[in-house]
Amino acid sequence: MAADNAADHSAGRAARELARLSEERVDHRFKGLPPDAEGLTVGELAAQRRNLFTDGFTTPVLALSAERLEHNLALMETYSERHGLAFAPHGKTSMAPQLFARQMERGAWGITLAVPHQVRVARAFGVERIFLANELVDASALRWIAGELDADPSFRFICYVDSVPGVALMDAALREANATRPVDVVVELGAGDGARTGVRTEAECVEIANAVAAADTLRLVGVAGYEGEVPEATPERVRAWLERLTALAVDFDKANRFADLDEVVVSAGGSAWFDAVADVFAQIPELSVPVLKLLRSGAYVSHDDGHYRHLTPFNRVPDEGALHPAFRLWAQVVSRPTPEQAFTNAGKRDAAYDIDLPEAQVVHRGGVDRPATGVTVTGLSDQHGWVRTTPEADLAVGDWVGMGLSHPCTSFDKWQLIPLVEGDGTVTDYIRTYF
Amino acid sequence: MAADNAADHSAGRAARELARLSEERVDHRFKGLPPDAEGLTVGELAAQRRNLFTDGFTTPVLALSAERLEHNLALMETYSERHGLAFAPHGKTSMAPQLFARQMERGAWGITLAVPHQVRVARAFGVERIFLANELVDASALRWIAGELDADPSFRFICYVDSVPGVALMDAALREANATRPVDVVVELGAGDGARTGVRTEAECVEIANAVAAADTLRLVGVAGYEGEVPEATPERVRAWLERLTALAVDFDKANRFADLDEVVVSAGGSAWFDAVADVFAQIPELSVPVLKLLRSGAYVSHDDGHYRHLTPFNRVPDEGALHPAFRLWAQVVSRPTPEQAFTNAGKRDAAYDIDLPEAQVVHRGGVDRPATGVTVTGLSDQHGWVRTTPEADLAVGDWVGMGLSHPCTSFDKWQLIPLVEGDGTVTDYIRTYF
């Protein structure tokens, strides 16, 4: 009953905090929004159903396609269900509680996050199951986690461990915090030599599991890792590593490490190899307790016009669908100093630039979109986009250039309130992010 | 009298809005801050004078040195005064109204900005003189600017023009907005072939000045540009371009283009060549009206441990002082999978990475800082720092690594509330940014 009440309380908090987002004032904090909307609430502005091109929005402005977002949310729900996977989409991509809520409505088990600050955001919006795909040895953060677990029996929290010293630091911090519930941990298996975090050998995994077993403050609930860091990844190498991961789960199960659990967690899966994850996880033999096969892809929400366009597994399994790039960054041409050069007002503050530059796709002038033929973004300053034009380009000062972006994680994080835009330009909502 | 009242009103607004920052609640919106400070106001938390290392802050956390900030603010005030320059520090660097206010207290003429959204932030905090170092042809933004000028006679706003079509767009938008005061513009002289925005030839500058003269909604008040974009810059090339800029001002003056003004604006100066700007601007001959020689450097506020450490003019004029790097990013080692590798919890969301990677400087363990010997940051994922260690490195899971950053503009923009930290670790205030 206590757990039920806490869960109800948490669901109530989620609904209340999401509703409160629509009561936030539109003001100078949020770039791109119409200056003449100053003082309206987000909800009031959304109710006006303004047009992105004609109703006072200023450039640069990032637009998230309502239809494409919906498509992507639905596709990954279907994909996960079809493959018998639980889904904890990586929330670090968007850090948008409204999107977390839509992911949960579409059947997500919970939300994956990367650092404790992100857990605080999710908890503030009532997320009940959080998978922290990272090590956590910060005493202050662990004290806060212990408090959350204590206050809300229905809060499920899982994080990585990959070292005996890390286990000792966790245990010390949780003891110091007088933690009343153990923190659930999974041993992270590293994706190979030179890869990111994670234990390098199965022998070390055993040592760490032993250390966890010896700590009252921790509970071993499974194994996990990130195949996206497999060195020189090929489908074969990724599968080989995933098979190591699932074999580790089997070995731990045989060693009776999961005897007291209701379920074992086996987790992997970024946005580049979830087909391999689905295949290998489907082969996990029956263990002594049910297995929660947890996929963690995050970039699918907005998808992109670059990095993940090339890497998405749907390129290999087109029969299962296709994600649609949902972001378009609109910038205005402010300068056209030569026939070969143009400059927009969107720079590093506005567009992802860590993997690829923005891709000029359309030019908007006088209410009409046309292809951005001969228009190429060649660089970004802090607040300018450098554009090269060929003789066939028709690009003038004042034109809006619509650009595709590469890498959702470094696109979302440059915008705190993102217009959700329908195909005809109507803005129906605003997505708040917390970075 | 109306102008005086408006100025008083604006100063009152500035003080009120700055005070309101200390009333903001510390919560999940602001990463790095102590979870147990949830619900306190910023002012209450500051009054607790917590220690960055021992009082509950979580990693990653960006610290701004109180003493170094103060030193840098004072140094550029002195520098500007010594060289007879007015100073409009570029606010796009920090987008922190508290720092704008301190810059103004230290004699700044006003604040430089890059895009209209930034102007809205500055206006919300009562900044009375704004130099927009960019072209502005967005009708919605111009309508808002016209409203601000109309409502506050003491608001001074200047922006660039670099094309006849741009002038036409401005004029049309301001007419449509029924602007009551003309918008002050300066002709931007481009820094050379292939450089960023700005007119390429003096002949075109004349055409544009003529277009401005023909538009009732605009007033030509001077010339400007950005020597930081001089191609293959050397001191000689930068000076040659600055001499073109000042000669353009002289030519315009001879052509009686400034006859109706109280002062002419001549502006240049980023953070790499302000010594050349000072030298060349000192040679401007007497014009028919006084000249406001406006320097716009912005990166000096925090300075850095990379890009501007190499580029600062103080390397050439050491007798005039030295800026001090004021940022230190603290991250925690969460994983140490091999003797050669370590991983921190600070990634692309936390550190500038557009020019250089963070520089590991110190390791903090058990209350003691020591040099980060043998510790090198080799890459950043979204939420991880990749660290390589040599055999001489003493680095363990749980250690905090203090890092210097390169490029202030892409450091500030990853943090919304930045602890201002004294040398002993006491946090005395929190700097709010708006990106």
Side-chain angles (χ1 to χ4, degrees):
Chain A
M1 284 302 291
D4 283 353
N5 286 340
D8 288 350
H9 175 76
S10 191
R13 181 167 65 169
R16 200 166 54 246
E17 289 301 319
L18 285 170
R20 196 174 291 176
L21 287 180
S22 71
E23 294 159 19
E24 190 153 44
R25 293 284 160 192
V26 175
D27 60 19
H28 58 273
R29 291 172 298 166
F30 306 115
K31 60 186 182 176
L33 301 197
D36 69 358
E38 172 100 23
L40 295 180
T41 66
V42 170
E44 288 165 350
L45 180 58
Q48 292 184 351
R49 297 178 61 83
R50 293 201 186 196
N51 184 281
L52 187 72
F53 302 103
T54 57
D55 290 338
F57 290 83
T58 58
T59 54
V61 61
L62 180 65
L64 181 61
S65 162
E67 295 89 350
R68 288 167 173 235
L69 170 68
E70 175 63 24
H71 168 87
N72 293 342
L73 290 169
L75 181 61
M76 285 306 288
E77 177 186 30
T78 305
Y79 185 91
S80 303
E81 280 179 1
R82 183 188 306 128
H83 293 280
L85 298 168
F87 190 28
H90 210 317
K92 65 140 186 184
T93 298
S94 75
M95 285 310 296
Q98 291 150 289
L99 299 186
F100 296 173
R102 290 183 63 178
Q103 291 170 317
M104 308 284 276
E105 286 162 15
R106 289 217 163 258
W109 170 90
I111 298 293
T112 296
L113 295 163
V115 289
H117 166 254
Q118 297 175 344
V119 179
R120 286 188 68 194
V121 172
R123 289 297 293 164
F125 288 86
V127 175
E128 281 291 276
R129 293 197 190 116
I130 292 173
F131 187 93
L132 185 73
N134 206 347
E135 283 67 26
L136 172 57
V137 296
D138 181 303
S140 299
L142 283 162
R143 187 181 315 125
W144 175 78
I145 293 282
E148 290 288 298
L149 287 168
D150 187 36
D152 179 359
S154 61
F155 173 34
R156 179 88 199 271
F157 175 81
I158 304 170
C159 72
Y160 286 177
V161 288
D162 80 346
S163 70
V164 172
V167 168
L169 287 169
M170 292 184 80
D171 185 48
L174 291 167
R175 284 176 186 280
E176 175 72 24
N178 297 314
T180 54
R181 288 169 62 197
V183 168
D184 286 351
V185 297
V186 290
V187 171
E188 184 194 8
L189 180 67
D193 285 343
R196 213 162 62 183
T197 57
V199 187
R200 293 302 189 253
T201 66
E202 278 74 358
E204 290 169 284
C205 289
V206 169
E207 287 176 34
I208 294 158
N210 288 342
V212 171
D216 293 341
T217 56
L218 302 177
R219 182 173 74 150
L220 182 70
V221 299
V223 298
Y226 177 45
E227 77 297 332
E229 293 291 346
V230 167
E232 300 172 55
T234 60
E236 294 70 30
R237 287 200 182 99
V238 169
R239 267 162 217 270
W241 177 80
L242 286 163
E243 285 163 1
R244 278 184 63 201
L245 180 69
T246 58
L248 182 64
V250 172
D251 287 349
F252 277 8
D253 187 58
K254 285 183 183 157
N256 259 336
R257 293 189 183 276
F258 304 136
D260 298 332
L261 302 179
D262 296 326
E263 65 181 5
V264 174
V265 178
V266 180
S267 177
S271 295
W273 297 105
F274 49 73
D275 55 337
V277 173
D279 288 352
V280 175
F281 280 14
Q283 306 300 320
I284 298 176
E286 194 169 337
L287 302 188
S288 59
V289 288
V291 179
L292 184 78
K293 301 171 182 177
L294 197 59
L295 181 69
R296 304 192 309 268
S297 321
Y300 79 102
V301 172
S302 67
H303 196 51
D304 77 6
D305 280 295
H307 191 61
Y308 288 108
R309 179 170 66 193
H310 300 301
L311 294 186
T312 177
F314 288 115
N315 292 339
R316 290 185 291 269
V317 290
D319 291 351
E320 299 210 46
L323 294 168
H324 295 164
F327 274 139
R328 181 161 277 175
L329 176 64
W330 289 100
Q332 189 173 34
V333 177
V334 295
S335 177
R336 191 82 167 93
T338 72
E340 296 79 32
Q341 282 188 293
F343 293 88
T344 71
N345 55 5
K348 291 178 189 171
R349 256 68 184 271
D350 311 298
Y353 56 87
D354 54 323
I355 300 179
D356 302 295
L357 288 172
E359 174 186 82
Q361 296 178 329
V362 295
V363 174
H364 185 92
R365 183 193 299 169
V368 178
D369 280 356
R370 57 195 159 72
T373 309
V375 178
T376 307
V377 178
T378 60
L380 297 176
S381 299
D382 290 345
Q383 311 280 170
H384 292 86
W386 294 61
V387 174
R388 191 172 51 216
T389 55
T390 63
E392 60 191 331
D394 175 14
L395 191 66
V397 170
D399 288 349
W400 285 28
V401 179
M403 293 173 280
L405 301 176
S406 178
H407 198 184
C409 301
T410 48
S411 302
F412 274 107
D413 71 5
K414 295 178 174 67
W415 295 86
Q416 295 187 40
L417 198 58
I418 304 171
L420 189 67
V421 186
E422 294 186 343
D424 68 353
T426 304
V427 181
T428 58
D429 203 355
Y430 297 84
I431 305 298
R432 184 77 157 93
T433 66
Y434 294 95
F435 288 98
Chain B
M1 282 303 288
D4 283 354
N5 286 341
D8 287 350
H9 175 78
S10 190
R13 180 166 65 167
R16 200 166 54 245
E17 290 301 319
L18 285 169
R20 197 174 290 175
L21 287 180
S22 71
E23 294 160 18
E24 190 153 43
R25 293 283 161 193
V26 175
D27 61 19
H28 59 273
R29 291 172 299 166
F30 306 115
K31 61 185 181 177
L33 301 198
D36 69 359
E38 172 101 24
L40 295 180
T41 66
V42 170
E44 288 164 351
L45 181 58
Q48 292 184 352
R49 297 179 62 82
R50 292 200 187 198
N51 184 281
L52 187 72
F53 302 103
T54 57
D55 290 337
F57 289 83
T58 58
T59 53
V61 60
L62 180 65
L64 180 62
S65 161
E67 295 88 351
R68 288 167 174 235
L69 170 68
E70 175 64 24
H71 168 86
N72 294 342
L73 289 168
L75 181 62
M76 284 307 288
E77 177 186 30
T78 305
Y79 186 91
S80 303
E81 280 179 2
R82 182 186 307 130
H83 292 281
L85 299 168
F87 190 29
H90 210 318
K92 66 139 186 182
T93 298
S94 74
M95 285 311 297
Q98 291 150 289
L99 299 187
F100 297 172
R102 290 184 62 179
Q103 290 170 319
M104 308 284 278
E105 286 162 16
R106 287 218 164 259
W109 170 90
I111 299 293
T112 296
L113 296 163
V115 288
H117 166 254
Q118 298 175 342
V119 181
R120 287 187 68 194
V121 172
R123 290 297 293 164
F125 288 85
V127 176
E128 282 291 275
R129 294 195 189 116
I130 293 173
F131 187 93
L132 185 73
N134 205 347
E135 283 67 26
L136 172 57
V137 296
D138 181 304
S140 298
L142 283 161
R143 186 181 317 124
W144 175 77
I145 293 283
E148 290 288 297
L149 287 168
D150 187 37
D152 179 0
S154 60
F155 175 33
R156 180 90 198 270
F157 176 81
I158 305 170
C159 73
Y160 285 177
V161 287
D162 80 346
S163 71
V164 172
V167 168
L169 286 170
M170 292 185 80
D171 184 48
L174 291 167
R175 284 177 185 280
E176 175 72 24
N178 296 313
T180 55
R181 289 170 61 197
V183 168
D184 287 350
V185 297
V186 290
V187 171
E188 184 195 9
L189 180 67
D193 285 343
R196 212 162 63 183
T197 58
V199 187
R200 292 303 189 252
T201 67
E202 279 73 359
E204 291 169 284
C205 289
V206 169
E207 286 175 34
I208 293 159
N210 288 341
V212 171
D216 293 340
T217 56
L218 303 176
R219 182 172 75 149
L220 182 71
V221 300
V223 298
Y226 178 46
E227 78 295 332
E229 292 291 346
V230 167
E232 302 171 53
T234 60
E236 295 70 31
R237 288 200 181 100
V238 168
R239 267 162 217 271
W241 177 81
L242 286 162
E243 285 163 1
R244 278 183 63 200
L245 181 69
T246 57
L248 181 64
V250 171
D251 287 349
F252 277 7
D253 187 59
K254 285 183 183 156
N256 259 335
R257 294 189 184 277
F258 303 136
D260 298 332
L261 302 179
D262 296 326
E263 66 181 5
V264 174
V265 177
V266 180
S267 176
S271 295
W273 297 105
F274 50 72
D275 55 337
V277 172
D279 289 351
V280 175
F281 280 15
Q283 305 301 321
I284 298 175
E286 195 169 339
L287 302 188
S288 59
V289 287
V291 179
L292 184 79
K293 301 171 183 177
L294 197 60
L295 181 68
R296 303 192 309 269
S297 321
Y300 79 102
V301 172
S302 68
H303 195 52
D304 76 7
D305 280 296
H307 190 60
Y308 287 109
R309 178 170 67 192
H310 300 301
L311 293 185
T312 178
F314 288 115
N315 291 340
R316 290 184 292 268
V317 290
D319 291 350
E320 299 210 45
L323 294 168
H324 295 165
F327 274 138
R328 182 161 276 176
L329 176 64
W330 289 100
Q332 189 173 35
V333 177
V334 296
S335 178
R336 191 82 167 93
T338 72
E340 296 78 33
Q341 281 188 293
F343 292 89
T344 71
N345 54 5
K348 291 179 189 172
R349 256 68 184 269
D350 312 299
Y353 56 87
D354 54 323
I355 299 179
D356 302 296
L357 289 172
E359 174 185 82
Q361 296 178 330
V362 296
V363 174
H364 184 93
R365 183 193 299 168
V368 178
D369 280 356
R370 57 193 159 73
T373 309
V375 178
T376 307
V377 178
T378 60
L380 297 175
S381 300
D382 290 346
Q383 312 279 170
H384 291 85
W386 295 61
V387 174
R388 191 172 52 217
T389 54
T390 63
E392 60 191 331
D394 174 13
L395 191 67
V397 170
D399 288 349
W400 285 28
V401 180
M403 294 173 278
L405 301 176
S406 176
H407 198 184
C409 301
T410 48
S411 302
F412 274 106
D413 69 5
K414 295 177 176 66
W415 295 86
Q416 295 185 40
L417 198 58
I418 303 172
L420 188 68
V421 185
E422 293 185 344
D424 68 354
T426 303
V427 180
T428 57
D429 202 355
Y430 297 83
I431 305 297
R432 184 77 157 93
T433 66
Y434 294 95
F435 287 98

